[in-house]
């Protein structure tokens, strides 16, 4: 009974890589030619809208466009541009001057452009509007306390301040603001930009940082406090681009130049409101602006929607299958080694256990300097998270084999490798498969965070839904991810029926009960 199980185990191992091949074929069938222009955006609505407008102009110029929206904060986008992972992203002069090029002297637009060029980037002409940082609070509370400018906050040390996480860390953010105005508040929360508005409305915070073009300022009746000591610089919207873009995609570069001076402050506030308040998509709002301003009448193709869903599915399945396959190839041998060498085994189990304790977001960000953004760091993180359950279950399955069976194999004169292949691995197979199944289900959920660094997948609509407070959009990613996790569990249940003999399955269930 053991020998057939061994043959079944070999068949299952060969079949393990079949999903990888199928997933690659699926991606290839959905892929278009290599993108000419890759456009990124930060994780807030206005940046996504501007990126969609830029993408529409490039497509109209005949370029292939790859959009990498909601990648994160300023530093991540800047580093992605310098490492040739994106070609264009929208930003603001104040941010570039004080957050990116703060160590380079010089004042004025010419000096800023020269400093950016020396760093390896090119700034477009201004898009036509300014979106400055501002400090705001509820109008009714500001009126009651007599607060009209930032200096007035000194007289109210009990006010609860909550600033966006990036503002807390920026050179032109909270620390400099506190020093300039001598503010007494010290217990300040860091939170997401969109959550800050909810905090103001729900009365859980009193003061936060705003963007002056945010539609929520009027919607929630907020007061922008006067910057009476002129702390905040100008934040004129621009496109940050790779200099090589003019040579590699000249038509796209000329198309992007058409944006100079084309978007007024009122235009930007209206577009932000259309997304954040009216619930429209950034892509739809961008298409409407392109039609009105430039006569570019792109229409939403239902086939593109289906294609997008399929592509998102292929991205998510690829992340899970590839990371899991690599983990199996590494973790099973490690589990065998841990079972054979008890002292070394404790070190292996402890090391993989420590990896499991690292927060997912921290691990993803840690990988970026080594692997860039996109699929590679997400795969690496998922691979590391998959090791523990597979190593642990392989070790447990092998060490749980009765000594009498091992002694019988030795009495038959089986060499150690033959004993492992024909007796120990087949007996441990139910436990090994259980570990792989656990890793697969965990990876399906964890892979949604890959969207934070441009890996795509089902996390993209989830992140957009959180940012836009759109529950339907969250479900658009959460439901397929849940169904994929259930499907993964079903696949491994079926695989267990194929590669594990009935007797061993019964023994495994008896041990579990």
């Amino acid at each position: 009974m053991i020998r057939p199980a061994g043959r079944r185990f070999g068949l299952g191992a060969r079949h393990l890589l079949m999903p990888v091949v199928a997933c690659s074929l699926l991606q290839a069938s959905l892929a278009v030619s290599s993108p000419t222009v890759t456009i990124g955006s930060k994780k807030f609505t206005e940046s996504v809208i501007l990126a969609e407008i830029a993408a529409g102009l490039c497509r109209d110029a005949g370029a292939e466009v790859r959009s990498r929206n909601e990648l994160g904060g300023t530093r991540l986008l800047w580093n992605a541009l310098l490492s040739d992972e994106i070609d264009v992203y929208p930003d603001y002069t104040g941010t570039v001057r004080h957050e990116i090029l703060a160590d380079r002297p010089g004042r004025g637009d010419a000096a800023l452009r020269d400093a950016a060029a020396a760093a390896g980037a090119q700034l477009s002409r201004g898009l036509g509007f300014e979106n400055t940082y501002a400090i705001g609070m509820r109008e009714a509370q500001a009126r009651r306390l007599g607060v009209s400018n930032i200096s007035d906050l000194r007289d109210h040390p009990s006010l609860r301040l909550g600033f966006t996480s990036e503002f807390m860390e920026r050179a032109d953010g909270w620390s400099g603001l506190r020093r300039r105005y001598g503010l007494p508040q010290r217990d300040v929360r860091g939170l997401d930009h969109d959550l800050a508005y909810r905090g103001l409305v729900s009365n859980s915070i009193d003061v936060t940082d705003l963007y002056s073009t945010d539609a929520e300022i009027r919607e929630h009746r907020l007061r922008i406090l006067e910057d009476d000591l002129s702390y905040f610089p100008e934040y004129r919207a621009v496109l940050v681009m790779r200099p090589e873009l003019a040579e590699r995609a000249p038509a796209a570069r000329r198309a992007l130049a058409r944006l100079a001076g084309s978007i007024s402050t009122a235009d930007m506030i209206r577009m932000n409101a259309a997304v954040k308040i009216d619930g429209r998509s950034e892509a739809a709002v961008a298409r409407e602006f392109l039609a009105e301003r430039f006569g570019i009448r792109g229409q939403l193709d239902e086939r593109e929607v289906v294609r997008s869903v399929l592509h998102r599915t292929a991205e998510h399945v690829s992340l899970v299958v590839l990371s899991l396959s690599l983990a199996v190839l590494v973790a099973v041998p490690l589990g065998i080694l841990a079972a054979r060498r008890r002292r070394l085994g404790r070190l292996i189990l402890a090391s993989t256990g420590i990896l499991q304790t690292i927060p997912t977001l921290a691990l993803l960000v840690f990988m970026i300097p080594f692997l860039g953004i996109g699929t590679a760091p997400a795969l690496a993180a998922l691979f590391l998270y998959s090791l523990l359950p597979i190593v642990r279950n392989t070790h447990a399955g092998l060490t749980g084999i009765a000594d009498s069976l091992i002694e019988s194999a030795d009495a038959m004169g089986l060499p150690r490798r033959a004993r492992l292949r024909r007796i120990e691995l087949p007996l441990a197979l139910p436990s090994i498969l259980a570990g792989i199944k656990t890793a697969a289900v965990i990876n399906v959920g964890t892979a949604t965070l890959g969207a934070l660094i441009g890996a795509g997948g089902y996390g993209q609509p989830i992140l957009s839904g959180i940012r836009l407070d759109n529950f339907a959009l969250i479900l658009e990613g959460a439901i397929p991810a849940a169904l994929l996790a259930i499907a993964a569990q079903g696949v491994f249940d079926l695989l267990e029926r194929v590669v594990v003999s009935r007797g061993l399955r019964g023994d495994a269930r008896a041990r579990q009960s």
Side-chain angles (χ1 to χ4, degrees), residues 285-306:
V285 171
R287 282 195 302 273
E288 184 177 89
F289 174 82
L290 290 169
E292 292 176 354
R293 193 59 43 89
F294 300 109
I296 299 173
R297 301 195 176 277
Q299 294 185 352
L300 181 62
D301 188 344
E302 292 184 0
R303 291 173 297 180
E304 286 299 317
V305 175
V306 174

Side-chain angles (χ1 to χ4, degrees), residues 86-104:
I86 61 175
D87 297 306
V88 184
Y89 77 93
D91 214 326
Y92 306 88
T93 54
T95 298
V96 175
R97 185 186 302 277
H98 293 277
E99 180 67 10
I100 300 297
L101 304 174
D103 58 337
R104 299 173 186 262

Side-chain angles (χ1 to χ4, degrees), residues 223-356:
R223 173 180 291 187
I224 292 180
L225 305 184
E226 181 183 351
D227 184 11
D228 49 315
L229 297 183
S230 301
Y231 171 71
F232 292 115
E234 288 185 333
Y235 292 89
R236 285 178 288 106
V238 295
L239 295 178
V240 185
M241 300 172 288
R242 288 189 60 79
E244 298 86 355
L245 186 62
E247 297 179 4
R248 182 162 50 83
R253 180 64 183 86
R254 288 192 298 271
L256 292 174
R258 299 172 66 188
L259 272 180
S262 66
I263 307 175
S264 68
T265 300
D267 289 333
M268 199 66 250
I269 293 175
R270 174 176 55 81
M271 288 190 282
N272 284 332
V275 175
K276 299 300 296 292
I277 297 174
D278 300 337
R280 301 178 61 194
S281 71
E282 291 95 343
V285 171
R287 282 195 302 273
E288 184 177 89
F289 174 82
L290 290 169
E292 292 176 354
R293 193 59 43 89
F294 300 109
I296 299 173
R297 301 195 176 277
Q299 294 185 352
L300 181 62
D301 188 344
E302 292 184 0
R303 291 173 297 180
E304 286 299 317
V305 175
V306 174
R307 185 185 181 88
S308 175
V309 172
L310 291 175
H311 186 72
R312 192 182 299 148
T313 299
E315 288 176 331
H316 205 93
V317 172
S318 293
L319 287 173
V320 174
V321 172
L322 292 175
S323 62
L324 186 65
S325 299
L326 291 172
V328 169
L329 294 175
V330 174
V332 171
L334 282 178
I336 294 171
L337 183 61
R340 288 280 177 85
R341 307 285 180 86
R342 299 301 172 92
R343 185 175 298 177
L344 181 59
R346 288 195 290 270
L347 177 61
I348 291 173
L349 292 172
S351 300
T352 53
I354 289 173
L355 288 173
Q356 200 78 15

Side-chain angles (χ1 to χ4, degrees), residues 113-438:
R113 294 180 192 284
D114 291 343
Q122 186 179 66
L123 302 185
S124 74
R125 291 174 55 198
L127 304 186
F129 71 96
E130 182 179 355
N131 184 5
T132 184
Y133 264 122
I135 302 301
M137 58 191 300
R138 293 181 298 277
E139 174 64 38
Q141 184 183 32
R143 186 168 57 252
R144 177 169 53 83
L145 297 177
V147 176
S148 60
N149 54 52
I150 299 177
S151 293
D152 293 334
L153 295 177
R154 288 196 295 261
D155 300 328
H156 302 279
S158 62
L159 287 174
R160 298 162 298 171
L161 276 57
F163 295 127
T164 58
S165 299
E166 185 172 1
F167 186 77
M168 294 283 289
E169 304 297 330
R170 289 170 60 116
D172 55 345
W174 163 240
S175 60
L177 183 75
R178 182 178 62 191
R179 288 193 300 270
R180 174 69 67 86
Y181 282 94
L183 299 179
Q185 292 85 359
R186 292 294 183 269
D187 184 17
V188 181
R189 302 187 200 179
L191 66 168
D192 183 82
H193 180 67
D194 297 292
L195 294 179
Y197 283 109
R198 300 180 206 176
L200 284 174
V201 172
S202 64
N203 200 30
S204 58
I205 60 173
D206 300 313
V207 180
T208 191
D209 58 300
L210 312 171
Y211 304 142
S212 59
T213 57
D214 283 348
E216 293 93 337
I217 295 174
R218 180 179 298 178
E219 175 74 8
H220 298 312
R221 298 179 181 177
L222 305 180
R223 173 180 291 187
I224 292 180
L225 305 184
E226 181 183 351
D227 184 11
D228 49 315
L229 297 183
S230 301
Y231 171 71
F232 292 115
E234 288 185 333
Y235 292 89
R236 285 178 288 106
V238 295
L239 295 178
V240 185
M241 300 172 288
R242 288 189 60 79
E244 298 86 355
L245 186 62
E247 297 179 4
R248 182 162 50 83
R253 180 64 183 86
R254 288 192 298 271
L256 292 174
R258 299 172 66 188
L259 272 180
S262 66
I263 307 175
S264 68
T265 300
D267 289 333
M268 199 66 250
I269 293 175
R270 174 176 55 81
M271 288 190 282
N272 284 332
V275 175
K276 299 300 296 292
I277 297 174
D278 300 337
R280 301 178 61 194
S281 71
E282 291 95 343
V285 171
R287 282 195 302 273
E288 184 177 89
F289 174 82
L290 290 169
E292 292 176 354
R293 193 59 43 89
F294 300 109
I296 299 173
R297 301 195 176 277
Q299 294 185 352
L300 181 62
D301 188 344
E302 292 184 0
R303 291 173 297 180
E304 286 299 317
V305 175
V306 174
R307 185 185 181 88
S308 175
V309 172
L310 291 175
H311 186 72
R312 192 182 299 148
T313 299
E315 288 176 331
H316 205 93
V317 172
S318 293
L319 287 173
V320 174
V321 172
L322 292 175
S323 62
L324 186 65
S325 299
L326 291 172
V328 169
L329 294 175
V330 174
V332 171
L334 282 178
I336 294 171
L337 183 61
R340 288 280 177 85
R341 307 285 180 86
R342 299 301 172 92
R343 185 175 298 177
L344 181 59
R346 288 195 290 270
L347 177 61
I348 291 173
L349 292 172
S351 300
T352 53
I354 289 173
L355 288 173
Q356 200 78 15
T357 65
I358 301 175
T360 307
L361 185 57
L363 188 58
L364 286 170
V365 173
F366 177 76
M367 293 290 178
I368 290 175
F370 305 99
L371 300 173
I373 61 173
T375 302
L379 279 175
L382 293 174
F383 161 77
L384 293 175
Y385 279 123
S386 298
L387 293 178
L388 177 61
I390 302 174
V391 169
R392 183 177 57 195
N393 278 43
T394 301
H395 173 270
L398 292 173
T399 56
I401 298 173
D403 292 337
S404 58
L405 292 176
I406 303 299
E407 292 170 359
S408 298
D410 290 338
M412 294 169 58
L414 284 177
R416 197 170 187 181
R417 288 187 179 181
R419 188 185 75 190
L420 174 67
R421 186 178 70 254
R422 300 174 63 180
I423 295 178
E424 292 177 289
L425 283 178
L427 290 173
L429 187 54
S431 178
I432 295 172
L433 285 176
I436 297 173
K437 178 167 63 176
T438 299

